[in-house]
Amino acid sequence: GRVSVFVTFGKVGSLMVKYGEISEPMKYPTIAQVKEADIEKLIEAGKAEWESIYRTKQIISVIYRAK
């Protein structure tokens, strides 16, 4: 799992967390790497986020920590 920053024109940006296969080329700067031991947790979080966006609208908070 890699954490990247995507900034569009203007003052809009996104923090992206990628894991597994992707379907489109994404060449954004990587700013962090998820520990291998936490990949399963990342996948669970990704599934919860997907459900939140498209079904439940539940707010999900995430805490990022530096080593």
Side-chain angles (χ1 to χ4, degrees), residues 5-16 28-29:
V5 175
F6 172 68
V7 179
T8 60
F9 294 104
K11 296 181 180 180
V12 177
S14 299
L15 186 65
M16 298 181 296
Y28 305 118

Side-chain angles (χ1 to χ4, degrees), residues 9-44:
F9 294 104
K11 296 181 180 180
V12 177
S14 299
L15 186 65
M16 298 181 296
V17 181
K18 305 186 296 185
Y19 61 91
E21 300 281 329
I22 57 173
S23 61
E24 53 200 45
M26 299 172 69
K27 295 184 180 184
Y28 305 118
T30 298
I31 60 168
Q33 179 76 34
V34 175
K35 294 178 185 178
E36 191 66 34
D38 291 333
I39 294 295
E40 285 299 319
K41 292 177 186 175
L42 176 61
I43 292 170
E44 288 178 30

Side-chain angles (χ1 to χ4, degrees), residues 19 44-56 60:
Y19 61 91
E44 288 178 30
K47 290 177 183 178
E49 183 66 21
W50 183 268
E51 285 293 314
S52 173
I53 291 169
Y54 293 104
R55 291 188 178 176
T56 67
I60 299 173

